[in-house]
Amino acid sequence: MTTAAYPAARFRRLKSHAALRALTAEHRLTVHDLIWPVFLRDGEGVREDVASMPGVARMSVDLVVKAARDAADLGIPAICLFPYTDPSLKTRLCEEAWNPDNLSNRAIRAIKAAVPEIAVMTDVALDPYNINGHDGIVRDGVIVNDESVEALVKMALAQADAGADILGPSDMMDGRIGAIRNALERAGHQNVTIMSYAAKYASGFYGPFRDAVGASGALTGDKKTYQMDPGNVSEALRLVERDLSEGADMVMIKPGLPYLDVCRAVKDRFGAPTFAYQVSGEYAMIQAAAAQGWVDGEQVMIESLTAFKRAGCDGILTYFAPAMARLLPS
Ligand code: PBG
């Protein structure tokens, strides 16, 4: 890399005109980089604001179908479903998770019927259905791995049967990617893809999400026996390698902005389709500061999402997806 000395080199020359800035821009977001996470709830015509996530609402299936139509029209390639589960349906063994007619599976069918061009992504983890809010089954205070994997496989198959295009195991149990992949192959779901939440940290940034899915009150203890220590990066690489070797098609790093170094390292090392999740707390912080007038919300939205592209991500799960898409050519 050679750069002439001043004044032969003046970095401001290329910044002196919008056209020159456009020509020399290195990384730019497109609408094809966006996955929109949405929250589901029971009922019809129901739209319920999530207090800790201004601009985000839980929607009943009929309204989620309309939202998926709007998202597809904006050019957003995928929508990701998270159910708010009625507390009466939560059990110790999480049986509602693989009910073919649970809220999430009903929404998958409805969206695939009405808006076939949008990819539907799911969350594979037991927390919405678990009486104690954990992603796996709890026995005597321990989150048991292998029994949880069996449950996750049933859950994943029910989602694939309903028509899901992308399964997102977010549970961090060991062996779940291989088990789900084998089960999908055996069931004839060869083209159902897996985006593994490979490097998922035990993070304080998930707070508003747990509110949105009604898991905050339920959670006993923390998730540190399965989610990652925020200081670890070698472990992230090993987890990504492990999940790819078990049959993940795409990998995800979560949360997003505080872990951009992990995104870059993963992309450079493996070259696999790499995604980041700009999680609920990241969204809430930007919205809260913008509402106070402390930052320009639109500028910070664009800047934060562009940062993921700079860090090597192929795409981003973000609650800003429709707002961002409206500013981008489709
Ligand atoms: C749970 C799950 C979580 C999120 C996605 N799937 C929360 C958690 O692990 O406690 C968080 C998403 C967000 O904060 O936006 N399986």
Side-chain angles (χ1 to χ4, degrees):
M1 214 187 294
T2 312
T3 299
Y6 169 84
R10 286 182 185 269
F11 279 86
R12 295 190 58 198
R13 271 186 216 123
L14 289 176
K15 298 188 192 304
S16 62
H17 191 298
L20 295 172
R21 292 194 293 272
L23 273 175
T24 57
E26 294 180 46
H27 296 285
R28 217 184 267 107
L29 206 62
T30 76
V31 72
H32 310 294
D33 299 320
L34 303 172
I35 299 177
W36 183 26
V38 296
F39 298 110
L40 307 169
R41 58 148 303 134
D42 250 324
E44 226 188 288
V46 186
R47 218 191 129 81
E48 195 174 68
D49 289 335
V50 178
S52 51
M53 301 178 72
V56 170
R58 304 182 192 106
M59 289 175 275
S60 52
V61 172
D62 55 324
L63 297 190
V64 160
V65 169
K66 287 205 180 104
R69 175 78 269 152
D70 294 343
D73 290 345
L74 284 165
I76 294 173
I79 191 166
C80 182
L81 309 179
F82 292 99
Y84 171 91
T85 306
D86 191 288
S88 70
L89 294 171
K90 299 187 188 201
T91 58
R92 260 177 12 88
L93 294 179
C94 314
E95 289 94 340
E96 181 67 7
W98 53 92
N99 174 356
D101 291 316
N102 70 20
L103 180 56
S104 174
N105 291 334
R106 277 185 278 128
I108 297 170
R109 282 197 199 90
I111 294 170
K112 289 312 293 184
V115 195
E117 69 267 37
I118 202 160
V120 176
M121 175 168 171
T122 60
D123 191 60
V124 186
L126 301 177
D127 53 323
Y129 310 102
N130 206 340
I131 205 145
N132 49 58
H134 278 288
D135 292 12
I137 291 171
V138 181
R139 290 203 180 273
D140 302 325
V142 175
I143 293 99
V144 291
N145 194 86
D146 300 4
E147 189 180 349
S148 297
V149 171
E150 284 173 34
L152 293 163
V153 166
K154 285 189 263 184
M155 179 178 188
L157 282 177
Q159 294 172 345
D161 288 342
D165 301 285
I166 308 170
L167 306 184
S170 69
D171 55 285
M172 294 295 277
M173 297 297 122
D174 286 312
R176 90 276 204 218
I177 301 299
I180 292 171
R181 175 55 73 208
N182 283 338
L184 289 173
E185 286 290 323
R186 275 202 305 272
H189 289 304
Q190 288 87 350
N191 283 334
V192 172
T193 65
I194 298 177
M195 182 189 293
S196 144
Y197 288 62
K200 179 173 177 182
Y201 289 85
S203 172
F205 287 98
Y206 307 148
F209 173 95
R210 290 179 191 167
D211 224 13
V213 299
S216 350
L219 184 63
T220 50
D222 56 47
K223 299 192 175 184
K224 289 182 185 167
T225 69
Y226 45 106
Q227 298 181 351
M228 288 177 62
D229 184 317
N232 290 5
V233 63
S234 299
E235 185 189 9
L237 297 174
R238 296 179 68 207
L239 285 165
V240 167
E241 182 171 39
R242 191 268 311 264
D243 286 2
L244 289 172
S245 77
E246 290 184 14
D249 305 285
M250 305 174 265
V251 292
M252 189 208 294
I253 291 94
K254 174 182 175 194
L257 223 49
Y259 297 91
L260 289 184
D261 59 320
V262 182
C263 298
R264 170 50 68 196
V266 165
K267 188 64 188 180
D268 284 351
R269 175 82 65 100
F270 301 103
T274 302
F275 293 78
Y277 197 143
Q278 181 180 52
V279 299
S280 57
E282 299 177 67
Y283 174 86
M285 289 196 306
I286 293 173
Q287 292 294 67
Q292 296 286 334
W294 294 338
V295 299
D296 177 327
E298 188 173 296
Q299 189 184 349
V300 171
M301 168 181 76
I302 298 168
E303 186 176 335
S304 64
L305 293 171
T306 305
F308 291 105
K309 297 298 290 180
R310 195 190 64 238
C313 292
D314 294 281
I316 310 115
L317 286 95
T318 174
Y319 302 98
F320 285 121
M324 188 65 236
R326 276 183 218 107
L327 302 175
L328 293 167
S330 70

